[in-house]
Amino acid sequence: MLPSPLAIDVRRGAVASLGTVLADRRIATEGRIAVAVGPGQGAQIAAELDLPNSEVFQVEEGTVDAATELGKKLRSGAYEAVAGIGGGKTIDVTKFAATMAGIPMVAVATNLAHDGIASPVSSLEHEGGKPSIGVTMPIAVVIDVDYVRAAPPHLVRSGVGDVISNISAIEDWELAGRVNGEPVDGMAVTFARVAAEAVLHRPDSVDSDAFLTVLAEGLVLSGMAMSVAGSSRPASGACHEILHAVTQLYPGTSNHGELAGLGALYASFLRVRHMGWSEARMHEIRDCLVRHGLPIVPSDVGLDDAAFAQAVFHAPGTRPGRFTILEHLELSRDEIGRSVKDYVEAVGR
């Protein structure tokens, strides 16, 4: 029997435990291990591992084609397990490939940019889009704080935006339950809420090892929430519809976690205005984003109000069948334009 999911090791020097994890005979009886590394710190980490029977594969692109090619190599090489070492792109490719090959996967994250580290989903580029594809979640996650600190600081901070967006996603899921009778999994909600609340009020920053540990555990817990739910529902609502719309309409605008936080704050504003939601709660989210230097208005990510409004109008089409505050309100293009203007005035710095 494999070690029960999900084994988590978050600390300084955690990478040193990777060799032991992969050498566990419950995972690899013959020690035939594959290591997939990204273009950043992954190669450096792989070089430091004592895995004499392993083979290293480079992951250059975060596409379905790249993941499929890696999956074929893992299957033809009869590997017993694979470690994906790098950022979100590398881990998503490796999760897909491991699922395709039918072998266990260990995720080794070199940044904390989003909650895909341990999720049962891979977001991969395919035919001009970036669909979320169901995969088997990792059996273990290793996050070395030393390597996280070596990543660009904005990538670490953006993870805050992604985990905080759980608050908005949960509200959307519960709204769908009340309006449409959609089943809501209480355990998945609890996991996602605990992950967000653990980060929301902390006064320290990414400069603190204690904060990085809580953030890492929160992102992993979000992944576990998605696994329990069987979908991304507990961590993806209007916030992610908006981020996907921005990404589709204006490629290269900011990153996943930053846009998730911005989308969550705007969705919270809509709840305050139209659903009687707590304004104080909205400002808790705003203050957390500001505290960590994350965007709160469109201009913070280089968009004007009209461009952001266009993304909001386009957002429901990015996740057909998902019911959120956006689908519930069905605001017209003009109404969205006015709401974005009012939002900027309400939350602007």
Side-chain angles (χ1 to χ4, degrees), residues 242-328:
I242 292 170
L243 88 81
H244 289 304
V246 170
T247 301
Q248 289 177 13
L249 295 175
Y250 317 108
T253 301
S254 195
N255 62 43
H256 181 101
E258 291 176 339
L259 292 174
L262 174 59
L265 187 56
Y266 174 73
S268 298
F269 171 79
L270 292 180
R271 292 187 188 94
V272 171
R273 168 164 285 193
H274 298 281
M275 306 288 290
W277 210 52
S278 166
E279 189 169 351
R281 186 63 162 164
M282 179 187 76
H283 281 286
E284 287 178 349
I285 297 172
R286 176 202 179 277
D287 292 347
C288 179
L289 297 176
V290 170
R291 190 161 58 247
H292 293 285
L294 293 168
I296 61 170
V297 294
S299 60
D300 290 340
V301 295
L303 298 178
D304 60 25
D305 292 356
F308 186 74
Q310 174 63 16
V312 173
F313 183 75
H314 179 72
T318 67
R319 285 291 182 272
R322 181 151 295 187
F323 189 84
T324 77
I325 185 71
L326 300 180
E327 288 80 5
H328 181 65

Side-chain angles (χ1 to χ4, degrees), residues 1-235:
M1 180 182 296
L2 294 177
S4 60
L6 178 67
I8 308 169
D9 189 0
V10 183
R11 58 187 170 87
R12 286 183 176 272
V15 162
S17 70
L18 180 58
T20 301
V21 171
L22 292 173
D24 190 319
R25 290 190 175 275
R26 292 173 297 174
I27 298 175
T29 57
E30 298 178 5
R32 285 191 54 76
I33 303 296
V35 179
V37 301
Q41 302 181 78
Q44 177 186 346
I45 296 174
E48 296 175 3
L49 298 178
D50 183 20
L51 294 170
N53 295 323
S54 68
E55 184 171 357
V56 177
F57 298 94
Q58 292 286 335
V59 175
E60 301 295 343
E61 298 179 331
T63 65
V64 170
D65 288 344
T68 301
E69 184 62 27
L70 177 60
K72 291 177 180 177
K73 292 176 181 177
L74 297 180
R75 191 161 53 193
S76 64
Y79 295 101
E80 298 173 277
V82 59
I85 306 176
K89 177 177 70 174
T90 303
I91 289 175
D92 277 354
V93 165
T94 309
K95 283 192 293 185
F96 182 100
T99 301
M100 180 179 168
I103 60 176
M105 180 260 189
V106 176
V108 185
T110 56
N111 66 53
L112 301 177
H114 61 78
D115 61 12
I117 300 168
S119 76
V121 172
S122 284
S123 184
L124 300 170
E125 296 173 15
H126 183 61
E127 296 181 351
K130 200 171 185 181
S132 296
I133 303 167
V135 294
T136 302
M137 67 187 297
I139 62 166
V141 172
V142 176
I143 301 173
D144 193 318
V145 173
D146 291 322
Y147 284 100
V148 169
R149 287 198 175 284
H154 75 278
L155 291 181
V156 182
R157 292 195 301 269
S158 70
V160 175
D162 208 11
V163 75
I164 291 301
S165 75
N166 288 4
I167 297 170
S168 178
I170 291 168
E171 290 291 330
D172 282 329
W173 198 8
E174 292 179 338
L175 174 65
R178 293 192 302 270
V179 175
N180 294 337
E182 181 177 328
V184 178
D185 189 294
M187 182 174 289
V189 167
T190 298
F191 282 178
R193 197 189 307 279
V194 167
E197 296 289 348
V199 172
L200 184 63
H201 297 293
R202 285 191 68 99
D204 48 352
S205 71
V206 297
D207 295 326
S208 159
D209 282 4
F211 180 84
L212 289 179
T213 299
V214 169
L215 176 58
E217 291 171 346
L219 293 171
V220 171
L221 195 57
S222 291
M224 294 175 68
M226 288 185 266
S227 179
V228 170
S231 76
S232 61
R233 203 44 158 130

